[in-house]
Amino acid sequence: MNDRVYDERLFIRTAGDQRGFPQLAHYHRYEPTPYEGLDQLFSRCELSANDRFIDVGCGKGRVAFYVHDRFQSFVTGIEMNPAFYEECLQNKIGYMKRRKRRRGIVEFQCLKAEEYEVKAEDTVFYFFNPFSVQIFRKVVQQILISMEQSPRRVTIILYYPSDEYIFFLQNETIFNWVDEIKLDNLYKKNENERFVLFQNHE
């Protein structure tokens, strides 16, 4: 199933990458995660309805809607671009019309990732290389503070992971590398086409 057909099934529009992106040194432009990658990732990374999934730099909301549709988890998408945030809200209208009886909630917040207040219930954080490692450090530090206050298992999922992200997690945090998922049809052409998962010990 290609991305356009998958969008149609969810009654959302998330295709295309970002045009006219402002030149911001620490923030990267939007590209959606391919659905075939999400299928592979979540065939190995099962979530429960009790998980709270945070999509950091959610763009138009593709991953958020996918996760809610598949697992009925509570999902929050964080997006700093007001235009994309509005597209998330429009996508939510179409999505929810067909899924009114589903468990969980999909919500979106328009703010920078480092401004997000990590909740004690947040358990899974997804990053598609949205910004520089300097911003990533700030976000992860806030996750770690939340974990100190409310001990729990937390999973960090990196797609198209930068070496700087991985080095930081492995050498300066309590998170451990637990899995790597190479995308079947894409990894041979581009070794960045993979997911890397990190977790802490409970």
Side-chain angles (χ1 to χ4, degrees):
M1 187 183 304
N2 65 36
D3 287 354
R4 181 184 59 80
V5 173
Y6 221 127
D7 263 7
E8 290 176 356
R9 188 180 74 79
L10 295 175
F11 296 92
I12 61 177
R13 295 181 179 180
T14 62
D17 55 13
Q18 188 162 355
R19 305 296 181 187
F21 187 67
Q23 296 300 312
L24 300 174
H26 290 284
Y27 299 91
H28 304 157
R29 70 186 182 91
Y30 163 73
E31 292 181 63
T33 306
Y35 281 112
E36 67 174 295
L38 295 175
D39 286 342
Q40 283 186 242
L41 167 64
F42 290 111
S43 68
R44 298 250 293 263
C45 177
E46 287 287 326
L47 305 183
S48 76
N50 294 322
D51 276 309
R52 291 175 66 106
F53 184 96
I54 312 300
D55 182 5
V56 184
C58 68
K60 300 177 183 180
R62 174 180 292 184
V63 175
F65 293 115
Y66 178 99
V67 169
H68 181 263
D69 183 66
R70 181 162 180 158
F71 299 108
Q72 300 181 49
S73 303
F74 192 110
V75 181
T76 298
I78 302 169
E79 177 54 52
M80 62 174 281
N81 184 312
F84 284 156
Y85 171 71
E86 289 300 324
E87 290 197 54
C88 287
L89 298 183
Q90 289 301 311
N91 279 329
K92 183 177 178 180
I93 292 172
Y95 174 82
M96 293 305 295
K97 282 181 180 178
R98 303 288 179 146
R99 290 163 173 78
K100 291 180 180 178
R101 296 183 181 179
R102 290 286 179 121
R103 290 185 56 193
I105 295 174
V106 184
E107 67 171 18
F108 297 96
Q109 297 186 23
C110 187
L111 74 171
K112 293 181 178 179
E114 59 269 33
E115 297 171 350
Y116 174 70
E117 182 179 343
V118 179
K119 310 296 189 300
E121 299 81 13
D122 296 344
T123 57
V124 184
F125 294 82
Y126 180 84
F127 299 85
F128 179 179
N129 196 22
F131 32 63
S132 70
V133 71
Q134 289 84 357
I135 303 297
F136 183 66
R137 284 171 172 269
K138 293 179 181 178
V139 175
V140 172
Q141 290 297 341
Q142 293 182 40
I143 296 170
L144 292 169
I145 291 171
S146 173
M147 291 166 63
E148 289 179 2
Q149 297 170 344
S150 302
R152 62 194 185 277
R153 170 68 58 83
V154 168
T155 302
I156 291 179
I157 302 172
L158 306 179
Y159 174 51
Y160 226 86
S162 74
D163 292 338
E164 292 173 308
Y165 277 29
I166 291 174
F167 182 89
F168 167 64
L169 289 174
Q170 288 183 314
N171 293 280
E172 300 183 43
T173 76
I174 61 173
F175 290 103
N176 301 289
W177 177 307
V178 294
D179 202 2
E180 178 183 37
I181 301 164
K182 300 174 182 178
L183 301 196
D184 291 338
N185 298 321
L186 300 173
Y187 183 79
K188 291 179 181 179
K189 298 178 181 178
N190 184 344
E191 293 184 355
N192 290 311
E193 293 287 356
R194 61 187 178 129
F195 297 95
V196 179
L197 280 64
F198 287 83
Q199 286 180 341
N200 62 304
H201 291 301
E202 286 186 290

